[in-house]
């Protein structure tokens, strides 16, 4: 069987799209690849096809498996279900499974079942998993959503920065990293975090452009103008869905993003007064409510959702007709990632960014809160290391009190804990009520390096500034975005992060 046969046989597709065939060929030849392709372009096939091609020298027990690292537990099940429906032996192992089920899958993997195995990078902390995966030959490692490697701050995934160790553990398998958005800096960082040199990995940059998305920015002043825009975009989406449905009254689905829950609630009230049906989604809601609201939106029962960035992980709804930002998001990357949820079905969709200069202050403040200084690192460390008993007994809220960090948007504590974990200083879990952690080592100098912290702060500010520059940009905005994401450029040599 060759790649093309597998494409016909398993997926029923006629031909490969753009660079898919070249990427597959590269992987089959044992070369590493970094793939940047817009959402919906077909990144998954690039590793799924090689995973399905049997190898001549395979022994039944150590049958090769393709390991897919994905940060999205919410999407794993859907992806695996879709593969199984095609008769492909795939499975996932994550914390959503019952213990029994997990153990069953562990032994199946150990026995040599499955061509594709989906896990989160966190799985590598489990000794049982390490034991099981050691019995298989991992011929291909696929790192999906690879930009998570470099996402600092409150959104970052510490375990993505263990990729060097993970690859070592797996015997340096052929590796493919995939993402829809990565700046040249992030691309370099991905390569570095994989433990590779730029000349060992080939960059396939298909651009980031989604031709069916209509991007627009509008400078506004105050709530009234914002509301007008929200209603207008919704009307356009409704009109489009009426046409698509041949006359029936339809509502095009849309997301309106807010930075602050406070603003979101204010607009919810304004919309309620105008009898505009909608649901609200944000991090302060109970888990069950969040799940219910997400389902209502996914199933199309309520086409309009007002949301904070907490909404999005696992949103794979095809027919989202608009994504509107009512407040400026924190970075160019965040904005581009969020609008990427629109128009996955390929139909025209609107992405409107509303810019009220007053909102910039909020984001500047957020950036400040996500960049603790060296002194703050010291204080957190002192508490968890020397006041360990009380810290674990009373949890994060107590710790926050001790640090005088009670401001609503102050997530310096979470940032510091995340970084301490990333550097292997601590290990454990935490939330507002509880804190279960172990201190493994002293504070490394890197975390206290004032220059390094200053550079990180400046980088965050630049990412926000880029968005403001985009808004002010006189020429073609898409050119500006392409330039930002390094389209047409080669992989740069890594610069040691200070
Ligand atoms: P991405 O991960 O890049 O967002 P996916 O891998 O989920 O995109 O693919 C998006 C859709 O495109 C899927 O429904 C997939 O089956 C389809 N697709 C991918 N490659 C091809 C192809 N060569 N021919 C036809 N459809 C394809
Ligand atoms: Mg994908």
């Amino acid at each position: 069987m060759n790649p093309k046969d597998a494409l016909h046989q398993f997926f029923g597709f006629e031909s490969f799209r753009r660079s898919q065939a070249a990427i597959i060929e590269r992987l089959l030849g044992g070369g590493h690849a970094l793939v940047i392709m817009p959402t919906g372009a077909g990144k998954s096939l690039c590793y799924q096809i090689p995973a399905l091609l049997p190898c001549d020298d395979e022994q039944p027990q150590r049958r090769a498996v393709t390991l897919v690292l994905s940060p999205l537990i919410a999407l794993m099940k859907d992806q695996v279900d879709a593969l199984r429906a095609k008769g492909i032996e795939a499975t996932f192992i994550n914390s959503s499974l019952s213990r029994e089920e997990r153990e069953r899958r562990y032994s199946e993997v150990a026995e040599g079942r499955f061509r594709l195995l989906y896990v989160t990078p966190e799985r590598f902390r489990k000794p049982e998993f390490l034991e099981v995966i050691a019995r298989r030959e991992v011929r291909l490692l696929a790192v999906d959503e690879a930009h998570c490697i470099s996402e600092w701050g409150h959104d970052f995934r510490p375990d993505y920065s263990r990729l060097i160790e993970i690859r070592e553990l797996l015997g340096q398998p052929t590796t493919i990293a995939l993402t829809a958005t990565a700046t040249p800096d992030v691309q370099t960082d991905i390569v570095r975090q994989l433990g590779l040199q730029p000349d060992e990995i080939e960059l396939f940059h298909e651009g980031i452009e989604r031709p069916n998305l209509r991007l627009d920015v509008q400078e506004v002043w105050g709530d009234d103008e914002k509301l007008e825009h929200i209603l207008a975009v919704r009307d356009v989406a409704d009109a489009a869905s009426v046409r698509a449905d041949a006359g029936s009254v339809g509502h095009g689905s849309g997301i309106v993003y807010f930075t602050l829950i406070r603003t979101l609630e204010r607009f919810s009230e304004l919309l309620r007064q105008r009898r505009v049906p909608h649901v609200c989604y944000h991090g302060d809601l109970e888990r069950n409510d969040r799940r219910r609201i997400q389902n209502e939106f996914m199933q199309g029962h309520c086409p309009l959702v007002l949301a904070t960035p907490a909404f999005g992980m696992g949103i794979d709804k095809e027919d989202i007709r608009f994504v509107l930002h009512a407040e400026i998001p924190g970075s160019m990357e965040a904005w581009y990632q969020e609008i990427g949820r629109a128009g996955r079905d390929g139909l025209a969709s609107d992405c409107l960014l509303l810019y009220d200069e007053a909102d910039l202050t909020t984001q500047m403040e957020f950036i400040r809160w996500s960049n603790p200084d060296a002194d703050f690192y010291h204080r957190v460390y002192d508490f968890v290391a020397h006041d360990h008993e009380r810290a674990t007994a009373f949890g994060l809220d107590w710790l926050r009190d001790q640090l005088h960090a009670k401001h609503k948007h102050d997530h310096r504590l979470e940032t510091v804990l995340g970084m301490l974990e990333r550097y292997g200083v601590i290990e454990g879990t935490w939330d507002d009520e509880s804190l279960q952690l172990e201190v493994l080592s002293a504070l490394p100098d890197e975390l206290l390096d004032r220059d390094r912290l200053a550079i990180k702060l400046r980088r965050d500010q630049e990412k926000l500034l880029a968005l403001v520059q985009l808004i002010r940009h006189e020429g073609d905005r898409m050119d500006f975005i392409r330039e930002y994401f390094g389209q047409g450029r080669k992989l740069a040599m890594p610069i040691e992060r200070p």
Side-chain angles (χ1 to χ4, degrees), residues 73 77 92-98 102 123:
I73 288 186
K77 186 175 181 311
F92 65 90
I93 298 178
N94 64 33
S95 55
S96 76
L97 300 176
S98 69
R102 198 159 51 232
R123 190 73 4 217

Side-chain angles (χ1 to χ4, degrees), residues 43-44 79 144-145:
K43 287 185 282 299
S44 333
Q79 287 171 342
D144 207 2
E145 312 289 346

Side-chain angles (χ1 to χ4, degrees), residues 7 13-17 20 37-45:
L7 183 72
F13 296 146
E14 269 313 299
S15 54
F16 285 112
R17 287 178 181 163
Q20 280 176 336
M37 264 189 214
T39 306
K43 287 185 282 299
S44 333
L45 272 189

Side-chain angles (χ1 to χ4, degrees), residues 149-214:
I149 284 177
S150 208
E151 204 66 24
W152 289 33
H154 64 285
D155 218 19
F156 96 107
R157 301 279 295 211
D159 288 80
Y160 263 76
S161 58
R162 299 184 182 194
L163 272 165
I164 293 190
E165 291 159 56
I166 291 176
R167 290 192 66 244
E168 220 166 73
L169 214 101
L170 298 173
Q172 314 287 10
T174 304
T175 302
I176 175 174
L178 316 102
T179 171
T181 40
T183 60
D185 269 0
V186 173
Q187 293 164 27
T188 308
D189 216 18
I190 292 172
V191 174
R192 204 174 67 97
Q193 301 274 12
L194 291 173
L196 296 171
Q197 293 299 317
D199 58 1
E200 289 178 287
I201 184 164
E202 188 171 345
L203 172 66
F204 295 85
H205 198 320
E206 285 215 345
I208 48 154
E209 204 163 335
R210 304 263 312 278
N212 62 316
L213 300 189
R214 291 184 293 231

Side-chain angles (χ1 to χ4, degrees), residues 325-491:
H325 284 83
E327 291 176 288
I328 189 171
S331 68
M332 179 82 119
E333 286 94 316
W335 172 68
Y336 210 77
Q337 188 82 24
E338 281 159 9
I339 63 172
R341 292 173 189 136
R344 295 210 173 158
D345 54 9
L347 300 179
S349 307
D350 285 301
C351 304
L352 175 59
L353 170 59
L354 299 181
Y355 177 56
D356 185 336
E357 218 173 56
D359 298 336
L360 202 56
T361 328
T362 315
Q363 284 299 350
M364 297 290 283
E365 200 179 309
F366 266 48
I367 291 176
R368 209 157 46 81
W369 290 130
S370 58
N371 282 283
D373 57 18
D375 176 52
F376 197 83
Y377 271 98
H378 265 304
R379 283 163 60 208
V380 174
Y381 182 80
D382 281 346
F383 272 110
V384 295
H386 305 127
D387 216 344
H388 191 252
E389 224 164 88
R390 284 202 296 165
T392 46
F394 301 130
L396 278 199
D397 268 344
W398 175 83
L399 198 51
R400 229 178 259 123
D401 269 339
Q402 307 306 304
L403 296 160
H404 313 291
K406 261 304 193 186
H407 188 282
K408 179 124 176 57
H409 304 133
D410 186 347
H411 43 252
R412 281 180 300 172
L413 178 55
E414 287 84 343
T415 307
V416 168
L417 292 174
M419 291 304 278
L420 293 182
E421 189 181 41
R422 180 179 184 160
Y423 279 85
V425 177
I426 59 168
E427 199 173 74
T429 58
W430 49 84
D431 58 33
D432 285 348
E433 284 86 40
S434 79
L435 187 85
Q436 297 291 327
L437 50 83
E438 222 180 304
V439 180
L440 306 172
S441 68
L443 265 179
D445 291 341
E446 290 118 291
L447 288 180
L448 304 172
D449 181 338
R450 280 165 215 280
D451 290 343
R452 192 191 142 276
L453 294 172
I455 288 173
K456 159 75 170 67
L457 174 64
R458 208 182 60 219
R459 272 170 74 139
D460 282 359
Q461 287 165 337
E462 281 168 0
K463 288 177 181 188
L464 174 60
L465 185 67
L467 208 43
V468 178
Q469 286 169 333
L470 173 76
I471 292 160
R472 295 274 156 80
H473 190 66
E474 300 272 333
D476 184 349
R477 290 211 174 83
M478 209 52 228
D479 280 345
F480 186 93
I481 298 170
R482 273 191 287 262
E483 173 68 24
Y484 186 83
F485 288 108
Q487 199 167 326
R489 270 195 264 164
K490 289 203 166 61
L491 271 177

Side-chain angles (χ1 to χ4, degrees), residues 79-320:
Q79 287 171 342
V80 164
D81 285 349
L83 291 172
R84 295 181 76 100
K86 296 178 170 71
I88 295 168
E89 263 198 309
T91 197
F92 65 90
I93 298 178
N94 64 33
S95 55
S96 76
L97 300 176
S98 69
R99 198 171 133 190
E100 268 177 354
E101 181 58 28
R102 198 159 51 232
E103 279 168 5
R104 202 166 60 83
R105 292 191 194 185
Y106 275 153
S107 42
E108 286 175 334
V109 172
E111 283 160 17
R113 272 197 69 187
F114 306 120
R115 285 278 171 198
L116 283 133
L117 174 60
Y118 287 72
V119 297
T120 63
E122 285 80 2
R123 190 73 4 217
F124 279 85
R125 295 171 179 224
K126 313 280 180 204
E128 313 90 88
F129 177 70
L130 298 183
E131 208 173 287
V132 162
I133 202 68
R135 304 232 207 137
R136 295 292 292 272
E137 184 199 339
V138 175
R139 196 178 300 129
L140 179 60
L141 175 70
V143 183
D144 207 2
E145 312 289 346
H147 57 272
C148 286
I149 284 177
S150 208
E151 204 66 24
W152 289 33
H154 64 285
D155 218 19
F156 96 107
R157 301 279 295 211
D159 288 80
Y160 263 76
S161 58
R162 299 184 182 194
L163 272 165
I164 293 190
E165 291 159 56
I166 291 176
R167 290 192 66 244
E168 220 166 73
L169 214 101
L170 298 173
Q172 314 287 10
T174 304
T175 302
I176 175 174
L178 316 102
T179 171
T181 40
T183 60
D185 269 0
V186 173
Q187 293 164 27
T188 308
D189 216 18
I190 292 172
V191 174
R192 204 174 67 97
Q193 301 274 12
L194 291 173
L196 296 171
Q197 293 299 317
D199 58 1
E200 289 178 287
I201 184 164
E202 188 171 345
L203 172 66
F204 295 85
H205 198 320
E206 285 215 345
I208 48 154
E209 204 163 335
R210 304 263 312 278
N212 62 316
L213 300 189
R214 291 184 293 231
L215 308 190
D216 193 11
V217 302
Q218 294 288 338
E219 285 207 48
V220 294
W221 195 81
D223 285 0
D224 291 347
E225 283 186 33
K226 283 183 179 174
L227 187 65
E228 265 172 46
H229 279 290
I230 294 174
L231 295 173
V233 167
R234 192 189 75 120
D235 287 346
V236 171
D238 283 358
S241 79
V242 170
R243 255 180 284 134
D245 274 5
S248 71
V249 181
H251 288 292
S253 290
I255 308 173
V256 181
Y257 276 113
F258 295 87
T259 307
L260 300 173
I261 299 176
R262 185 156 34 91
T263 325
L264 184 156
E265 285 173 340
R266 208 165 63 230
F267 275 84
S268 172
E269 179 56 28
L270 292 172
L271 289 171
R272 213 178 50 77
Q273 286 163 8
R274 282 164 185 76
R275 298 184 190 288
V276 176
H278 64 276
V279 287
C280 297
Y281 185 106
H282 53 75
D284 275 1
L285 297 174
E286 292 288 327
R287 206 188 160 102
N288 283 338
D289 288 333
R290 285 208 303 260
R291 192 171 305 146
R292 179 177 50 77
I293 290 162
Q294 180 165 331
N295 285 340
E296 279 176 27
F297 177 74
M298 295 292 280
Q299 288 156 12
H301 300 320
C302 194
L304 180 62
V305 59
L306 310 192
T308 60
F311 186 72
M313 284 290 250
I315 297 297
D316 203 10
K317 190 169 161 58
E318 285 221 309
D319 59 347
I320 295 176

